[in-house]
Structures are given as structure tokens and as C-alpha cells.
Amino acid sequence: QVQLVESGGGLVQAGGSLTLSCAASGTIYSPNPMGWYRQAPGEQRELVATITSGGIRKYADSVEGRFTISKDNDKNTVYLQMNNLRPEDTAVYYCNAHWNWRDAWGQGTQVTVSS
């Protein structure tokens, strides 16, 4: 059974950094792409960043230049390095993994940025 396990959320002051990680397990097939989405209270879930197995990255305009997504294909693990965090980055962050036959979501990890 496919499972995504996330870690790395927490509370940080504005200007600080956090790194999220997400490991996919339960299948021999590598997901492509993998990515991160976030959902703030009262808001819709939005794309933060995605990365393909070939290393093609896509970022939301709001995080471009501050966040970096990377992927370890051997471990089916995706990372999100978040620098210069802002209060508006506060949200639950969800990992997503895509296979041809399905998408999977992580349980979500809270990121809170205090001003």
C-alpha cells in the first residue's frame, strides 16, 4: 500500500528556515513528479513546488527564490528547503506523489511562521 511519510514542520520566526521531507513507500514504481502543496486556514490548497525525476522544477511565484525542492530518486524522497520564511507561509504542507494510476497525499505537516 502506497504511503507518504512527512516530517520537518514546526514553529519558526520570520526570516528563519525549515526543511520538510517526504518519503514514498509501498511500491516498486517511482513517483513522477513529487511535490509540495499547502493549505492555510480558510484557503484552498495551493501548489508550492514540484519536481520531476529528471529534475525539472516548478515553483509558485510566492516562494520562488526562497524555497528549493529536491528529490532523491533512489529513496523516493522529496525535500523542501524553505528559507526567509514569512508569516504568510503559515499553512499545513502536504506532500504529493504522482503515478500513472493514482496520486497519493501525505498526512500534512504544520508550518507556523511568527512575526
Side-chain angles (χ1 to χ4, degrees), residues 17-30:
S17 299
L18 283 173
T19 301
L20 307 182
S21 65
C22 171
S25 63
T27 173
I28 63 171
Y29 299 103
S30 295

Side-chain angles (χ1 to χ4, degrees), residues 73-114:
N73 290 326
D74 291 337
K75 296 181 179 179
N76 285 339
T77 299
V78 65
Y79 306 92
L80 186 68
Q81 174 67 43
M82 304 184 292
N83 297 327
N84 192 20
L85 282 159
R86 304 167 179 168
E88 54 264 38
D89 295 318
T90 295
V92 177
Y93 284 68
Y94 295 92
C95 176
N96 173 266
H98 175 75
W99 291 266
N100 288 340
W101 65 93
R102 67 163 294 176
D103 271 51
W105 291 91
Q107 77 281 6
T109 185
Q110 177 70 45
V111 171
T112 302
V113 184
S114 63

